[in-house]
Amino acid sequence: MRKINIAASILSADFSNLYEELRFLPDEGVSYLHFDVMDGHFVNNISFGSYVLKCLAFTPLIKDVHLMIEEPKKYYLDFINAGADIITFHYEAVEESSIKSLIDEIHQHNIKVGISIKPNTKVDSIKEFLEYLDLVLVMSVEPGFGGQSYLKEVSEKIAYLKFLKDKYNYKYIIEVDGGINDKTAFEAINSGAEVLVSGSYLFKAKNRKEAVKKLIGE
């Protein structure tokens, strides 16, 4: 059976009490800490920069950095220096002719690389890059704000990525971000998702350990 991992999106955490919000996540079944970095240009919202990541070095969780910014090449090194384990940039934010070189450049720092695609971007747009990726992040909402509902039509994209991964023995992990809760998680997992990003659902739960179990179907 595929192992399903949960990535907690700190965008939904209480920033006035961030240490307490995050310190017990490993014991509650969370494996990844997801950083939604927004610049106010690629998406309308602004979130946080690399300094927040650096301040969270205490957690043993995998630092999963999702750059929703216009110039990932300009800033990715700041997040690597702050402790990122995975750098994911958006296909839509980089000239197609520069994508492969950016993947190679990040890999040279011994960091895993992912590409994210918006709900309206087809998997075929990134097909030529799949063999080089460690992660593909499928946005199941329009990027920029938390608390949105899961778009069911992206399930076909997840299934297609799973098909390509199995057919060609690719190594990328399939991650899904947006509207994940105890109802939509099953659909994403059933389609082929391996990492579920959860923000509002997880951080608003009265019992986060039980919430994680519901996400992964236990």
Side-chain angles (χ1 to χ4, degrees):
M1 289 184 63
R2 286 179 295 125
K3 177 175 172 55
I4 307 302
N5 287 301
I6 301 302
S9 172
I10 68 165
L11 195 64
S12 298
D14 179 2
F15 273 67
S16 68
N17 197 26
L18 205 50
Y19 176 76
E20 290 297 326
E21 281 275 71
L22 305 184
R23 63 187 290 220
F24 297 114
L25 287 176
D27 297 327
E28 292 164 339
V30 173
S31 305
Y32 291 62
L33 200 57
H34 191 81
F35 294 81
D36 285 310
V37 181
M38 309 178 197
D39 62 358
H41 296 285
F42 182 72
V43 294
N44 290 328
N45 204 1
I46 296 174
S47 58
F48 42 74
S50 58
Y51 182 72
V52 172
L53 173 59
K54 190 174 183 179
C55 290
L56 300 179
F58 67 87
T59 175
L61 298 174
I62 296 168
K63 314 300 192 304
D64 177 23
V65 176
H66 176 197
L67 298 178
M68 289 183 271
I69 63 178
E70 282 189 348
E71 297 184 78
K73 183 179 175 67
K74 185 176 179 180
Y75 295 103
Y76 79 81
L77 192 57
D78 292 341
F79 289 91
I80 290 177
N81 290 335
D85 296 301
I86 306 169
I87 296 288
T88 298
F89 62 88
H90 265 267
Y91 163 80
E92 303 89 356
V94 181
E95 289 289 334
E96 195 158 317
S97 59
S98 301
I99 289 177
K100 177 58 167 57
S101 62
L102 181 56
I103 293 171
D104 292 342
E105 195 174 313
I106 297 172
H107 270 151
Q108 287 173 6
H109 295 276
N110 294 315
I111 295 294
K112 292 183 177 180
V113 183
I115 284 182
S116 182
I117 52 176
K118 293 181 179 182
N120 290 330
T121 300
K122 295 181 179 179
V123 171
D124 284 342
S125 300
I126 62 168
K127 203 171 179 181
E128 65 182 285
F129 308 112
L130 292 177
E131 64 181 296
Y132 309 111
L133 295 173
D134 304 292
L135 181 146
V136 177
L137 172 55
V138 178
M139 294 301 299
S140 45
V141 298
E142 287 297 330
F145 296 92
Q148 299 181 65
S149 298
Y150 181 90
L151 298 172
K152 291 188 176 182
E153 54 266 32
V154 305
S155 296
E156 291 184 13
K157 292 163 66 172
I158 299 167
Y160 185 35
L161 282 164
K162 175 69 163 56
F163 167 77
L164 293 172
K165 177 178 179 176
D166 292 345
K167 181 177 181 179
Y168 296 107
N169 199 28
Y170 290 148
K171 63 180 179 179
Y172 59 77
I173 294 168
I174 303 171
E175 183 176 48
V176 181
D177 183 3
I180 295 296
N181 55 42
D182 55 347
K183 297 177 178 63
T184 58
F186 174 78
E187 182 167 348
I189 293 169
N190 203 39
S191 299
E194 298 161 289
V195 177
L196 304 177
V197 179
S198 181
S200 304
Y201 170 79
L202 184 63
F203 283 105
K204 290 180 180 179
K206 291 182 179 179
N207 186 322
R208 294 194 305 206
K209 192 169 187 176
E210 289 302 314
V212 168
K213 286 182 178 180
K214 288 181 180 179
L215 286 177
I216 62 178
E218 289 187 358

